[in-house]
Amino acid sequence: MRMKSFTSLLLGTALTLAGTGLALAQDKVVKIGSLSDQSGLYADLGGPGSTLAAQMAVEDSGLTGKGWKIDVISGDHLNKPDVGVNIARQWFDVEKVDAIVDVPNSGVALAVSNLVKEKNGVLIDSAAGTSDLTNAQCTPNTVHWTFDTYMLAHGTGTALTKAGGNTWFFVTADYAFGAALERDTTAAVEAAGGKVVGGVKHPLNTADFSSFLLQAQASKAKVVGLANAGGDTTNAIKQAAEFGLTAGGQKLAGLLMFISDIHSLGLSTAKGLNLTETFYWDMNDQTRAFSKRFQARMKTHAMPTMAQAGVYAGTLHYLKALEALGGNPHDGAKVVAKMKDIPTDDPLFGKGSIEPNGRAIHPAYLFEVKSPEESKGPWDYYKLMATIPADEAFTPLAKSTCALLKK
């Protein structure tokens, strides 16, 4: 009798363990959180459009037709690191979110990246600029997809300096992103033979740039570099036009600009601006096809920004990695390792890779904004000036300070 009970116990335990293993092997339930600025100065470049991009990636992955259950939820971090971290913590602890995408605002992104590592989730950041995400503050759980301050600096900053804009004055947003962008652009300008003659910092989400622009004007710098983004950049450019900054011979450099910014400014104001992006809706047949599908589903009928394109491409690659693993989305570091193993290949950014420090590598493009006369229709805003190869666009691994690279 005892032998029978013991045998039954062993059999029951074996079945339980086998069942658990089967459940793990078949775990194809995934939840993705689109954490963005849904209502403030970065809402147009990310926001609802980023949530839509993640949903489109889920649909285009084909996994739901193979029995996977994949949900996308969204949250508004209000550009506050504590709010972003609280939402992310709630998502991991209660909502059982596996991956977070988008996250504009470098201060929020760096804070959320640390929490994601603590919770062993996945962060695919497409909208924060700081290059520190894959350098000093890299983690095995974070992938930085679309752009960063190194890329922006070595695109726009280097090009304008070599074109004769050899003295610079910075108008910089006073938080992590602005500091990183000014730092990286200063290095690029000096490497190209230029000089920084001064700078001023402004609070995030500033309405009045008059005092900052007067200081820039008084500096006599050939280039006024705007180390800010979103509504701050468009406000600064509009007010610079009112002050006659460019009419006086100075050139404005919007160091991070999105197509949503150009749309807001209008071509009459934005014409002639140089900017560096990694995605433009009108690059080729594949980007046009995606962008028209995206535009048809957006309430604003806007074309996708590069940040929203990055959410789509990053989410699609994340789902490819999950499929290659056969499921089990809950070990974030393992999923990110698989994302690094698989070459990236999507219709928006083309072929590329994710480096050991989490930096996604793809070409970048230097554009000039068309004049109203050059534009052939709605959203026809850019002309391509130069292509920066993928291996030159981002921080070389030899110069990366990411601890993951240490042997």
Side-chain angles (χ1 to χ4, degrees):
M1 192 71 177
R2 270 191 202 163
M3 182 62 73
K4 186 177 180 182
S5 298
F6 183 63
T7 304
S8 299
L9 179 63
L10 283 176
L11 181 61
T13 303
L15 288 171
T16 301
L17 289 171
T20 302
L22 189 64
L24 284 171
Q26 295 179 339
D27 188 352
K28 296 179 179 179
V29 178
V30 185
K31 187 172 279 190
I32 300 167
S34 177
L35 183 58
S36 193
D37 173 358
Q38 302 284 356
S39 53
L41 76 166
Y42 299 150
D44 288 343
L45 66 90
S50 288
T51 306
L52 171 60
Q55 290 168 337
M56 289 177 69
V58 171
E59 294 162 11
D60 292 350
S61 74
L63 290 185
T64 54
K66 299 175 182 179
W68 292 62
K69 184 180 187 306
I70 308 171
D71 291 324
V72 177
I73 62 174
S74 65
D76 189 348
H77 62 47
L78 305 176
N79 292 301
K80 296 177 180 178
D82 59 334
V83 174
V85 167
N86 285 340
I87 292 172
R89 192 180 298 279
Q90 166 82 7
W91 280 357
F92 285 120
D93 292 346
V94 180
E95 302 284 347
K96 304 306 176 187
V97 161
D98 300 294
I100 294 177
V101 299
D102 199 22
V103 200
N105 186 306
S106 293
V108 178
L110 290 168
V112 169
S113 180
N114 288 329
L115 179 75
V116 169
K117 180 185 177 185
E118 176 192 323
K119 299 294 184 181
N120 196 24
V122 174
L123 171 61
I124 306 167
D125 197 301
S126 65
T130 179
S131 57
D132 291 342
L133 276 170
T134 52
N135 285 291
Q137 298 195 48
C138 72
T139 86
N141 299 73
T142 291
V143 173
H144 201 183
W145 195 274
T146 314
F147 66 95
D148 64 24
T149 50
Y150 180 97
M151 182 216 85
L152 300 168
H154 287 75
T156 309
T158 299
L160 290 179
T161 305
K162 287 183 175 178
N166 57 2
T167 54
W168 284 65
F169 184 96
F170 287 101
V171 177
T172 302
D174 191 11
Y175 78 110
F177 161 71
L181 185 51
E182 181 178 336
R183 175 197 69 204
D184 290 351
T185 307
T186 295
V189 166
E190 291 175 348
K195 181 182 178 183
V196 175
V197 298
V200 62
K201 289 181 168 54
H202 69 81
L204 189 66
N205 210 6
T206 300
D208 184 5
F209 278 86
S210 55
S211 66
F212 312 119
L213 292 170
L214 284 170
Q215 291 178 64
Q217 207 165 26
S219 76
K220 306 294 184 185
K222 291 180 183 177
V223 180
V224 177
L226 302 176
N228 50 22
D232 281 338
T233 304
T234 55
N235 282 337
I237 291 171
K238 288 173 184 175
Q239 290 172 42
E242 294 167 9
F243 276 87
L245 207 82
T246 52
Q250 290 176 296
K251 188 169 183 65
L252 276 178
L255 293 167
L256 173 57
M257 295 198 72
F258 297 85
I259 197 166
S260 52
D261 301 324
I262 305 304
H263 189 72
S264 173
L265 287 166
L267 294 183
S268 296
T269 301
K271 64 182 178 183
L273 281 171
N274 291 111
L275 62 151
T276 305
E277 298 216 42
T278 52
F279 168 84
Y280 176 46
W281 74 269
D282 202 17
M283 287 290 286
N284 54 53
D285 288 344
Q286 289 182 304
T287 58
R288 282 188 285 273
F290 167 81
S291 299
K292 287 172 182 176
R293 286 196 294 129
F294 177 95
Q295 184 185 39
R297 293 172 64 171
M298 278 291 285
K299 290 181 180 178
T300 59
H301 302 297
M303 284 295 184
T305 66
M306 69 168 163
Q308 292 159 345
V311 170
Y312 174 84
T315 304
L316 201 60
H317 190 69
Y318 165 72
L319 295 173
K320 284 181 184 176
L322 284 184
E323 186 172 25
L325 289 169
N328 309 329
H330 313 308
D331 185 344
K334 184 177 179 181
V335 175
V336 169
K338 178 56 72 173
M339 290 177 71
K340 293 174 182 177
D341 285 345
I342 304 171
T344 61
D345 188 4
D346 65 82
L348 307 190
F349 294 83
K351 296 180 185 297
S353 63
I354 299 173
E355 297 199 317
N357 60 356
R359 177 67 259 173
I361 299 296
H362 35 246
Y365 309 97
L366 181 69
F367 294 109
E368 185 172 291
V369 179
K370 292 182 176 182
S371 67
E373 296 74 31
E374 292 173 306
S375 177
K376 296 176 182 176
W379 298 94
D380 177 27
Y381 294 159
Y382 295 167
K383 51 187 176 184
L384 180 64
M385 306 302 288
T387 298
I388 306 167
D391 59 353
E392 297 177 17
F394 297 95
T395 306
L397 279 181
K399 293 184 178 179
S400 178
T401 56
C402 175
L404 297 175
L405 301 177
K406 293 178 182 177
K407 292 183 180 178

